[in-house]
Amino acid sequence: MIHPHDQLCETVHSEFLRRWPIEAVRNMTLEEYSSLKNNDSFTGWLEHRSKDIGIISGSYALMFEIFAHSPGKQLPKKNNLAGDDRYTWYRRQGENSEEAFQAVKAKILRIIEMAMQNDLEGIERLEHFTPKVRWKIAFLYAPIGSMAAIFVPERLHSIGRELGLHFSSTADLHRQLAAKKPAGQGIYSFSADLWHRISPLFEMVPRKYYIIGTKYGAHATESRAAEMYEKDVVATDFGPVGVSLESFYLDGDKDSLHQFLEEKECPKLDTALQALLTFLNIRVGDIVALKDSGFPKGGKAYLRVIGYAVVVERDGRVYHFDESLGHCLHVEYLDSDLDLELEQGGFSTTVSPVNNAKAREQIFSLLAHTDDTQIVAAIEREAEKQVRRRMQRKGVSKVVPKGGNRAGSKPCVINPMHQVIQSGLLAFLQQQHPDATVYAEENFIDISIRRNDSDMVELYEIKPYYSARDCIRAALGQLMDYAHREEQVGGLKLIVVGPTPATNADRAYIAFVQEHLKLPFEYKSWRADFML
C-alpha cells in the first residue's frame, strides 16, 4: 500500500510538472514567475503549493533573485538591490526588471536541464540562487528517487553525519541517502522520516560511549559540573580562548583542525588537538559519563563517575560555543546525582572514548548495564520526563500559527503543521462544543475539552508525522503523563490527531492500543475527520 505522504506528494509533484514543464518555463513571463496575488506563479509553486514535498519557506523573497512587491513599497537601502514600482531584484541580475528576470530564467533553465540529466554535481557547482532554492528546483525536475527531498544543505549534512556517512559533497550525500531508501517506500516519505529523525536508519548507527571530565583550570581543580547540569551540556575548554569550532563538528579532518589551532596559537596544542578531535566527533545518541576524577588514588587506579547523559540535537544544533564553558554539546541528563567510585584506570585524559567492553560495563553499570535495548528505554523515559518537567500554565482560547519556539523547560521547535492543525482543531472543537470549556496549551496539553455538565475530560495530542502509527508512538507517552495529572476527574478520553488517515496496518495497531490501554483511546486524522 502506498504511504499516504507519498500519495499526497506524488499528486503535488505531478500537478507541478503539468503546470510547469520545461517548455512552460522557457515561455514564462515575469508576472508568471512572481506575483503577489497569483499562487499559480512559478515561485508560488516552489514555496507554497509544493511545500508538502519539502519546505523552503522561512527566508526572504529575495531568495528568488527577483520578486513582486506591494505598490509603493520603499526599496531597502542596500547597494546590491534595485527596484521599480512592482519588483525588487539583485542589481547583479540586470539594470531593469525585465533584464533581471531574463537572467534569472536562464539560470533556472540551466538548473532544470542539469537536473533532468541527473547532473547533481554540476548543480552544486552553480552559484544560482540560495542553495535550498537550487536544490528544490533540481528535485522537482530530476529523475524520481535520484536525490532526497531535503533542500537545506546544512540539515542534509547534519543528517548524513548523524548516520555516520562519509560524503565529499552535497550531491554525493543526496545520492547516498537516495540509495538507502527501502524498496516499497517512496522518496517523499523516506525523506520526511529522515528530516524528522524517525527513519529506522538512525537506529542502525552504533552508539558510542565516552568519559568527559568536569574539572577546569591549569591543575584541573575547578569543578564545572553544576554549570553543565544547569545548561544541559557536556563541555571542554581546550582550544584557543573565545573561538568557536562549530565548523569542525563531525568533520574529522585532523590536519585542518591542527592547522586552525596552530594559527590561533592554541595552548597545549597536541593535548588540545587529541581532546578536541574526540569531543567534536561525539554525535547524537552517544552516551557520556561525566567524571569528577580519573587520577590514581592511594597508589591504585581510580575513577569517580558523577553523571550520565545522552547527546541530543536542540534547535537544529548539537555543538555550540559558550563563553563560560567553551565547547559544548547539547545533552539530556539521564542521571546527574551519581557517586560511582571504581578501581578503573586509563581515563585520566579530559575526553576519552570507552571502547573496551569490560570497562564500559563497569563505568555504565548504573545505566541499564549497557544493554542497548535497555539504554534506549532509559533514554526515552528520561527524555520524556525532562521535556514534561514544566510548571502549570493557563490554557488559551485561540492559537495563531506562527512557527518558532515553544516556551518550556527547554527550547522546543514547533513544526508549522502542528500549529496549523492545532489552530484549526481548536476552532472546530469550540464550535462543536459551545457549552464546554475548550482550551489549547492548558498545562501544556495541545487541546483539552472539559464538559460543564459532567466530569468527562478529553485530551488531544497533535503530532505532525506522516503516518498514524508514528503519531501515536510519539504521543502516547505524553498523553499518559497528562492523564496521570488528571486522575481526580470522573472520566478521561485520549485522542491523537495526525495529518493523514490511518491505513489498514495503522488500524490494526490502533486496535491493539485500544485493547491494552485501560482508557478510551482514538486516532483521528485532521484531513479526514475535521477538514469537512
Side-chain angles (χ1 to χ4, degrees):
M1 180 174 287
I2 299 177
H3 193 290
H5 185 61
D6 289 320
Q7 197 168 26
L8 170 66
C9 290
E10 284 177 9
T11 300
V12 172
H13 201 161
S14 296
E15 289 175 353
F16 171 83
L17 291 174
R18 278 197 298 271
R19 174 62 185 91
W20 289 109
I22 190 169
E23 284 305 318
V25 177
R26 288 194 178 104
N27 298 321
M28 177 171 61
T29 66
L30 175 52
E31 189 168 353
E32 289 176 320
Y33 177 69
S34 177
S35 173
L36 288 177
K37 298 180 180 180
N38 181 14
N39 211 27
D40 194 44
S41 66
F42 187 81
T43 56
W45 271 96
L46 277 183
E47 184 173 10
H48 301 296
R49 296 188 64 173
S50 64
K51 65 183 179 182
D52 286 312
I53 294 174
I55 295 172
I56 61 170
S57 303
S59 188
Y60 40 85
L62 271 168
M63 65 181 172
F64 297 121
E65 299 289 311
I66 181 170
F67 70 96
H69 60 68
S70 301
K73 182 177 179 180
Q74 189 173 2
L75 187 70
K77 295 181 179 179
K78 293 184 178 180
N79 292 332
N80 62 339
L81 297 181
D84 56 26
D85 59 342
R86 293 189 62 191
Y87 295 95
T88 300
W89 63 90
Y90 280 113
R91 196 180 298 277
R92 63 174 178 264
Q93 302 294 0
E95 290 301 316
N96 57 63
S97 59
E98 185 58 32
E99 183 181 326
F101 167 65
Q102 291 301 329
V104 168
K105 183 166 73 170
K107 292 174 180 178
I108 292 171
L109 287 167
R110 181 65 175 144
I111 295 170
I112 293 173
E113 289 163 356
M114 296 177 86
M116 293 173 75
Q117 296 168 11
N118 200 20
D119 185 6
L120 303 186
E121 290 74 17
I123 291 169
E124 185 167 7
R125 288 193 296 270
L126 297 175
E127 295 182 356
H128 307 343
F129 302 96
T130 60
K132 64 181 180 181
V133 174
R134 189 191 325 149
W135 285 116
K136 183 156 190 183
I137 295 171
F139 180 88
L140 290 169
Y141 290 93
I144 301 296
S146 61
M147 59 181 288
I150 299 171
F151 311 124
V152 180
E154 294 80 6
R155 183 72 173 229
L156 189 78
H157 294 177
S158 175
I159 290 168
R161 290 192 294 263
E162 285 180 38
L163 293 175
L165 301 179
H166 299 284
F167 52 93
S168 58
S169 64
T170 300
D172 178 35
L173 181 55
H174 267 298
R175 295 192 191 281
Q176 288 194 48
L177 289 174
K180 291 184 177 295
K181 182 187 72 64
Q185 184 177 19
I187 193 66
Y188 311 101
S189 64
F190 173 71
S191 302
D193 288 350
L194 289 174
W195 179 274
H196 292 293
R197 271 39 175 211
I198 59 174
S199 168
L201 290 177
F202 289 99
E203 299 172 8
M204 299 167 62
V205 179
R207 177 173 289 107
K208 295 183 180 179
Y209 297 81
Y210 297 87
I211 290 180
I212 293 179
T214 57
K215 298 286 185 69
Y216 281 34
H219 302 288
T221 55
E222 179 190 349
S223 176
R224 305 295 290 276
E227 188 175 355
M228 292 185 196
Y229 295 152
E230 181 184 355
K231 295 180 176 179
D232 281 329
V233 298
V234 293
T236 182
D237 65 342
F238 275 111
V241 177
V243 178
S244 171
L245 296 176
E246 186 161 17
S247 62
F248 292 97
Y249 178 63
L250 294 184
D251 180 72
D253 190 337
K254 181 178 180 179
D255 293 337
S256 296
L257 180 59
H258 183 277
Q259 181 180 348
F260 181 82
L261 295 178
E262 198 169 40
E263 290 173 355
K264 297 295 181 180
E265 299 180 349
C266 173
K268 300 181 180 178
L269 178 60
D270 292 338
T271 305
L273 177 63
Q274 191 57 48
L276 289 170
L277 272 175
T278 303
F279 185 84
L280 293 170
N281 279 283
I282 300 174
R283 66 184 69 243
V284 169
D286 288 345
I287 305 293
V288 176
L290 270 72
K291 68 173 183 177
D292 178 72
S293 176
F295 292 105
K297 189 175 183 180
K300 294 183 178 180
Y302 178 75
L303 178 66
R304 183 181 178 214
V305 177
I306 59 172
Y308 295 136
V310 56
V311 180
V312 299
E313 178 183 296
R314 190 169 291 129
D315 288 340
R317 301 168 69 197
V318 179
Y319 170 97
H320 79 278
F321 183 79
D322 182 87
E323 292 295 337
S324 174
L325 288 172
H327 312 292
C328 299
L329 300 177
H330 291 298
V331 299
E332 293 280 357
Y333 274 98
L334 307 173
D335 197 329
S336 57
D337 193 28
L338 282 179
D339 192 358
L340 177 62
E341 295 184 292
L342 301 168
E343 193 173 313
Q344 178 72 55
F347 298 100
S348 59
T349 55
T350 302
V351 185
S352 305
V354 185
N355 297 322
N356 182 275
K358 188 175 180 179
R360 186 167 64 237
E361 185 175 348
Q362 283 190 315
I363 293 166
F364 295 92
S365 60
L366 299 184
L367 184 62
H369 307 289
T370 68
D371 178 83
D372 196 59
T373 303
Q374 292 173 297
I375 287 176
V376 170
I379 292 168
E380 290 175 347
R381 287 195 303 271
E382 189 64 23
E384 180 71 28
K385 187 192 305 179
Q386 292 198 33
V387 168
R388 289 299 167 186
R389 189 180 59 204
R390 296 164 168 171
M391 297 175 62
Q392 291 187 341
R393 70 175 178 185
K394 293 182 178 180
V396 296
S397 58
K398 186 176 182 181
V399 175
V400 180
K402 58 184 179 181
N405 292 342
R406 170 185 282 170
S409 62
K410 294 188 177 68
C412 176
V413 177
I414 302 298
N415 186 300
M417 185 184 291
H418 179 284
Q419 287 197 325
V420 168
I421 295 175
Q422 186 182 34
S423 175
L425 181 59
L426 180 63
F428 180 93
L429 293 174
Q430 286 171 336
Q431 184 178 16
Q432 294 294 308
H433 305 283
D435 297 327
T437 302
V438 184
Y439 277 149
E441 298 298 330
E442 182 182 19
N443 297 335
F444 293 87
I445 301 167
D446 280 340
I447 295 178
S448 59
I449 300 178
R450 301 181 187 276
R451 303 184 187 281
N452 298 328
D453 57 354
S454 72
D455 292 331
M456 174 62 71
V457 175
E458 295 182 10
L459 307 180
Y460 289 76
E461 180 64 22
I462 298 162
K463 292 297 174 187
Y465 305 133
Y466 298 100
S467 79
R469 186 186 183 95
D470 289 336
C471 291
I472 294 167
R473 288 175 60 189
L476 268 182
Q478 291 171 250
L479 282 172
M480 294 305 293
D481 181 52
Y482 301 152
H484 178 70
R485 301 182 204 169
E486 301 281 349
E487 280 186 325
Q488 72 277 11
V489 304
L492 280 172
K493 186 174 184 180
L494 310 181
I495 302 102
V496 176
V497 179
T500 56
T503 63
N504 288 335
D506 293 332
R507 283 190 281 273
Y509 177 62
I510 292 167
F512 175 85
V513 173
Q514 290 171 330
E515 180 183 350
H516 290 82
L517 201 63
K518 293 183 178 180
L519 292 169
F521 170 81
E522 286 185 43
Y523 172 82
K524 290 182 177 293
S525 160
W526 168 238
R527 294 190 179 111
D529 296 314
F530 300 107
M531 292 180 67
L532 305 176

